[in-house]
Amino acid sequence: MVVILTLSATHLSQSQAATDDPLVTQAEESPQNWPAHGRTYNEHRYSPLNQINTETIGRLKLAWSSNFDTNRGQEGTPLVVNGILYATTNWSKVRAYDGASGKLLWSYDSQVPGPSAVRGCCDTVNRGAAYWNDKIFVGTFDNRLIALDAKTGHKIWEVDTIPKDAWLGDIRSYITDGAPRVAKGIVMIGNGGAEFGVRGFVSGFDAETGALKWRFYTTPNRSNQPDHAASDAPLMTIAYRTWGPHGAWIHSGGGGTVWDSIVYDPQTDLVYLGVGNGSPWNYKQRSDGIGDNLFLGSIVAIRPETGEYVWHFQETPQDQWDYTSTQHIMTADLEINGKKRHVLLHAPKNGFFYIVDAQTGEFISARNYVPVNWAKEIDPVTGRPNIVPDALYSLTGKPWAGLPGDLGGHNFAAMSYSAQTGLVYIPAQQIPMVFTPDAHPLKHKGLNLGISMQGLPDDPAIRDGFLKTLTGWLIAWDPKQQKEIFRVDHRGPWNGGLLSTGGNLIFQGLANGEFHAYDARNGADLFNFNAQSGIIAPPISYEVNGKQYIAVETGWGGIYPLLMGRTALSSGWTVNHSRLLVFALDGTAELPPQNDRGMIPVKPPEQFDAQQAAAGYQLYETFCQVCHGDNALSGGVLPDLRWSGAIHHLAGFQNVVGRGALTAYGMARFDDILSRQDIEKIRQFLIKRANETYAREVAARANPQNIPQGRAITE
Ligand SMILES: O=C(O)c1cc(C(=O)O)c2c(n1)C(=O)C(=O)c1cc(C(=O)O)[nH]c1-2
Ligand SMILES: [Ca+2]
């Protein structure tokens, strides 16, 4: 009898272990932890801890820091469980620290192959891990999902999340950089790649074994056949007829990647997927200009155990602006018009702040949180945008300057909601984009947008005009009134995500390398720390042995500086120093002396072939710009090719660009798509740009620190 009882007790605890982990599901009970991406399932990114507060903030100092081994964009949200901090870094690596002392307990390198970098649009970033039942789950840039033992960092299981036999379009340029989420023993993960050509989907895996439980595709099967997936019914009955049957999507896969927000809500028992943009962007090319293209630009609600479809709400029909709905989704209980409602709060790229019923997907309201010109309004009854005809550039065939631009009114930088103030804090930005339709046949490597990739000309007047339009600010938004309460202006766009705390503080790292705390009630600036590197990641807070800590990853990067190049440094001159910074009251640590020189100009060869260089510009903007910056001006993360030793020698440049001499560092080889002549044209273009800009870059550094000063920074 005793034996049987013992057995069944063991059995019970094992099966419970599989479907519940109170550390995560009851995170509200342990304010000292940050056990899930948004701390609690509601994704508020609010820590109730209040030792660091508006009174004590003056004593906040660096407690410890740790250098990462990748100086690229760091977008990770660390997790903290019972005093151990788990951080993910660029190239999908994981590090576990003693949260109090900063001692490194273990590190795990998922060994992402360098050449996979070129398969993604936006830096080899990673946004975080998930914790469940003593395991840490991380998605890797080459699309593996890995379960690690949280104590040792040893691998428990690993799966390839991309099915070999499914219809995924012809290009299949997948990457994974979002944080997995766990609910009811199922680990869920999506992917990115819609700028190149993929069919978006989310998978659910058994957290204990890695066995696939379900898969949900976000765009239809091109022949409207079953995929034998959870999404079959809604795709075949609802979505397929919203696509032009002969559009380019039948080659690209249509896009709709779920590359960031996946949210489980215990109250509705639903999982909300934030679905991305169309592939290619050009809607005329993608879908013959026909239909709304479900489930692009939508929130889709599914069941956690089965992936079964429940409802969807499309925010951006006919997407042609990269207006993803992947941005941070929160759940909240609000009193709206005298009625208690359980809702989703969402500020997608398209610039409107949406409130949607969490149970049914019913549209409640929307109001623009940044300046918007693509839609006159959101219909107050249907929730459908009233799109301005000129904004449909792929149909008019004419260039159109969009607000928001392709990088959105806010992007991956997380919001925060404080129930204490009733405000949602949004890391908002304005980066306009001119969309010029240019529908090339789809390539198997490189961007497939169906728009012109030409960037800004090197004309100071045009550059200055554009720079004036670039802004970034923190918005405190009252969702009940759908209105801005106050704002904090920053120097430019692309600032970090937000944390709010029980100490009535909001924390934010900035693109210019400062880390701030503001009063959550009025935005007063209460703390400013020189973090030595642009910050794009969101802070977290935790407690160990009665002491409250604030942690944030530093490391300038992501798509904005890679693609926009030098223009992005108008948010503040910054050199990437990738680290974890941890603050506490009366901390005594210091950062090493600052090095702000960045990439130093090197005298280029004097001769170049003007004709080849002109052709090289087009090739550069198509294949190189997305990482090395518009018009060969680097944004301070990846090498500035004007000063590269490789441009001095034809053979050396061919080796790097054509034959992959630097693939280990993430530089792809291009001999499968560029001829030797093409590569030489790019080299000639780089020599030309180096000559055009060398003197002014040297002049800009003519000061004792050797750091570009003033206006010269963005030249
Ligand atoms: O369509 C996609 O599949 C996709 C993926 C990603 C990504 O996974 O990083 C981004 C985007 N789109 C995107 O549009 C975007 O603005 C963006 C910014 C970033 C970043 O980390 O800096 N990623 C992405
Ligand atoms: Ca995108």
Side-chain angles (χ1 to χ4, degrees):
M1 188 64 195
V2 173
V3 173
I4 292 168
L5 267 180
T6 316
L7 269 178
S8 58
T10 313
H11 178 76
L12 190 69
S13 74
Q14 272 175 357
S15 66
Q16 273 183 345
T19 54
D20 189 18
D21 180 348
L23 280 170
V24 176
T25 57
Q26 289 158 46
E28 290 82 1
E29 312 295 317
S30 33
Q32 73 277 13
N33 285 343
W34 193 287
H37 199 55
R39 202 183 91 78
T40 41
Y41 271 143
N42 59 20
E43 298 271 337
H44 287 184
R45 290 181 172 267
Y46 171 83
S47 166
L49 299 174
N50 60 9
Q51 186 178 79
I52 303 165
N53 56 45
T54 48
E55 302 298 313
T56 60
I57 185 75
R59 288 166 46 208
L60 192 66
K61 299 273 161 26
L62 190 67
W64 57 270
S65 72
S66 173
N67 290 342
F68 295 155
D69 58 359
T70 53
N71 279 339
R72 294 179 64 140
Q74 308 296 346
E75 297 184 1
T77 295
L79 302 178
V80 177
V81 180
N82 296 336
I84 313 288
L85 183 150
Y86 304 92
T88 66
T89 72
N90 203 294
W91 289 112
S92 327
K93 300 181 184 191
V94 190
R95 297 160 82 91
Y97 297 91
D98 177 318
S101 69
K103 180 171 173 243
L104 184 67
L105 303 176
W106 55 258
S107 64
Y108 179 82
D109 181 354
S110 60
Q111 310 243 329
V112 171
S116 59
V118 79
R119 299 181 67 77
C121 61
C122 304
D123 199 350
T124 43
V125 296
N126 187 281
R127 295 193 193 88
Y131 177 91
W132 187 265
N133 254 330
D134 302 319
K135 293 183 199 60
I136 292 289
F137 303 92
V138 63
T140 69
F141 205 73
D142 57 345
N143 307 300
R144 289 166 290 146
L145 178 66
I146 300 179
L148 302 173
D149 182 322
K151 290 206 177 60
T152 62
H154 294 153
K155 185 160 79 186
I156 298 173
W157 55 255
E158 169 176 319
V159 290
D160 180 358
T161 65
I162 311 296
K164 298 211 170 24
D165 48 355
W167 181 71
L168 299 172
D170 306 329
I171 301 166
R172 303 172 69 111
S173 192
Y174 286 100
I175 59 98
T176 300
D177 55 15
R181 315 297 170 97
V182 192
K184 298 188 144 176
I186 313 267
V187 196
M188 294 168 280
I189 185 87
N191 43 52
E195 271 66 62
F196 297 79
V198 297
R199 180 186 187 199
F201 63 92
V202 176
S203 322
F205 297 94
D206 185 304
E208 297 300 318
T209 64
L212 179 74
K213 293 283 205 182
W214 50 260
R215 195 171 277 131
F216 189 97
Y217 295 96
T218 57
T219 64
N221 180 292
R222 72 169 141 196
S223 34
N224 204 21
Q225 296 296 313
D227 297 296
H228 307 292
S231 43
D232 282 357
L235 291 182
M236 293 171 73
T237 58
I238 306 172
Y240 181 76
R241 59 192 156 85
T242 68
W243 291 74
H246 308 296
W249 72 277
I250 65 173
H251 302 298
S252 68
T257 37
V258 181
W259 54 267
D260 198 5
S261 204
I262 299 174
V263 173
Y264 173 66
D265 177 15
Q267 194 166 324
T268 57
D269 196 25
L270 294 174
V271 172
Y272 307 104
L273 311 177
V275 183
N277 58 281
S279 173
W281 289 4
N282 186 317
Y283 164 68
K284 177 91 192 314
Q285 183 184 14
R286 181 177 73 240
S287 188
D288 284 334
I290 297 170
D292 284 349
N293 291 183
L294 291 171
F295 293 110
L296 300 184
S298 304
I299 300 176
V300 178
I302 62 174
R303 297 255 172 243
E305 289 102 335
T306 58
E308 183 199 346
Y309 165 92
V310 180
W311 58 255
H312 74 274
F313 173 71
Q314 189 175 44
E315 294 167 328
T316 309
Q318 307 177 1
D319 169 53
Q320 45 206 283
W321 313 277
D322 194 14
Y323 285 168
T324 62
S325 289
T326 53
Q327 279 60 42
H328 187 174
I329 300 168
M330 296 175 175
T331 62
D333 292 298
L334 296 183
E335 201 176 295
I336 299 171
N337 298 333
K339 215 171 129 194
K340 268 214 148 99
R341 307 272 319 234
H342 184 59
V343 298
L344 303 186
L345 305 177
H346 197 215
K349 269 191 190 176
N350 78 15
F352 289 95
F353 192 100
Y354 290 82
I355 304 186
V356 174
D357 186 285
Q359 186 74 58
T360 62
E362 181 204 343
F363 170 76
I364 297 174
S365 68
R367 180 75 62 81
N368 64 307
Y369 64 96
V370 289
V372 159
N373 72 353
W374 69 280
K376 286 202 185 78
E377 54 159 7
I378 304 297
D379 184 293
V381 177
T382 63
R384 193 181 168 85
N386 178 352
I387 300 177
V388 172
D390 283 351
L392 297 165
Y393 68 89
S394 73
L395 301 183
T396 66
K398 294 201 202 102
W400 180 75
L403 283 182
D406 57 327
L407 296 181
H410 99 110
N411 202 303
F412 63 86
M415 311 190 294
S416 179
Y417 174 67
S418 165
Q420 204 168 306
T421 59
L423 299 174
V424 178
Y425 303 97
I426 313 171
Q429 61 185 17
Q430 174 170 286
I431 309 171
M433 159 97 186
V434 177
F435 297 88
T436 305
D438 187 359
H440 287 295
L442 305 185
K443 307 178 294 289
H444 276 260
K445 196 174 200 172
L447 297 172
N448 283 309
L449 305 179
I451 68 163
S452 161
M453 289 307 296
Q454 199 142 329
L456 282 181
D458 197 19
D459 174 331
I462 295 178
R463 287 185 77 83
D464 279 359
F466 181 66
L467 287 174
K468 286 202 187 87
T469 66
L470 300 176
T471 48
W473 66 106
L474 184 170
I475 300 175
W477 185 265
D478 178 352
K480 283 193 207 160
Q481 302 181 63
Q482 286 280 40
K483 115 171 201 226
E484 180 177 318
I485 301 300
F486 65 83
R487 65 167 64 188
V488 179
D489 284 319
H490 302 321
R491 205 159 132 186
W494 215 246
N495 300 291
L498 289 154
L499 160 72
S500 60
T501 71
N504 256 327
L505 293 168
I506 37 182
F507 289 87
Q508 186 179 29
L510 305 184
N512 70 358
E514 293 170 1
F515 185 61
H516 284 262
Y518 305 102
D519 189 318
R521 297 160 297 192
N522 52 35
D525 190 1
L526 303 178
F527 175 78
N528 179 358
F529 178 85
N530 174 8
Q532 299 190 354
S533 179
I535 301 176
I536 55 175
I540 63 151
S541 188
Y542 62 95
E543 185 187 276
V544 190
N545 301 330
K547 193 171 206 147
Q548 183 186 356
Y549 296 87
I550 307 284
V552 69
E553 294 187 3
T554 69
W556 179 236
I559 184 58
Y560 182 56
L562 264 60
L563 173 71
M564 307 281 279
R566 205 60 178 270
T567 314
L569 291 172
S570 64
S571 290
W573 175 258
T574 182
V575 171
N576 185 309
H577 298 295
S578 288
R579 298 186 177 113
L580 180 68
L581 304 184
V582 179
F583 301 86
L585 295 185
D586 310 319
T588 55
E590 278 179 34
L591 290 179
Q594 185 153 5
N595 177 350
D596 263 350
R597 292 190 180 183
M599 298 162 197
I600 307 221
V602 175
K603 200 161 174 37
E606 279 165 19
Q607 305 298 326
F608 59 89
D609 178 316
Q611 216 176 344
Q612 287 206 46
Y617 168 68
Q618 302 297 341
L619 291 164
Y620 176 92
E621 296 286 281
T622 305
F623 294 102
C624 319
Q625 169 188 211
V626 66
C627 288
H628 294 280
D630 179 28
N631 214 358
L633 307 173
S634 163
V637 184
L638 298 185
D640 195 310
L641 300 183
R642 294 170 298 165
W643 323 134
S644 164
I647 69 170
H648 289 250
H649 307 285
L650 189 150
F653 196 73
Q654 293 284 348
N655 275 341
V656 172
V657 181
R659 294 167 57 192
L662 296 179
T663 46
Y665 300 92
M667 171 59 196
R669 65 184 289 169
F670 286 89
D671 53 358
D672 54 346
I673 190 152
L674 293 174
S675 66
R676 286 180 69 83
Q677 290 79 1
D678 286 343
I679 294 173
E680 179 56 11
K681 286 174 192 158
I682 294 173
R683 187 174 79 98
Q684 293 298 323
F685 162 69
L686 292 169
I687 298 173
K688 170 174 177 270
R689 289 296 290 143
N691 276 286
E692 282 168 356
T693 55
Y694 178 72
R696 79 181 188 207
E697 290 258 2
V698 170
R701 289 169 179 271
N703 58 65
Q705 293 81 31
N706 226 243
I707 298 166
Q709 301 283 346
R711 191 183 165 282
I713 285 174
T714 50
E715 276 182 344

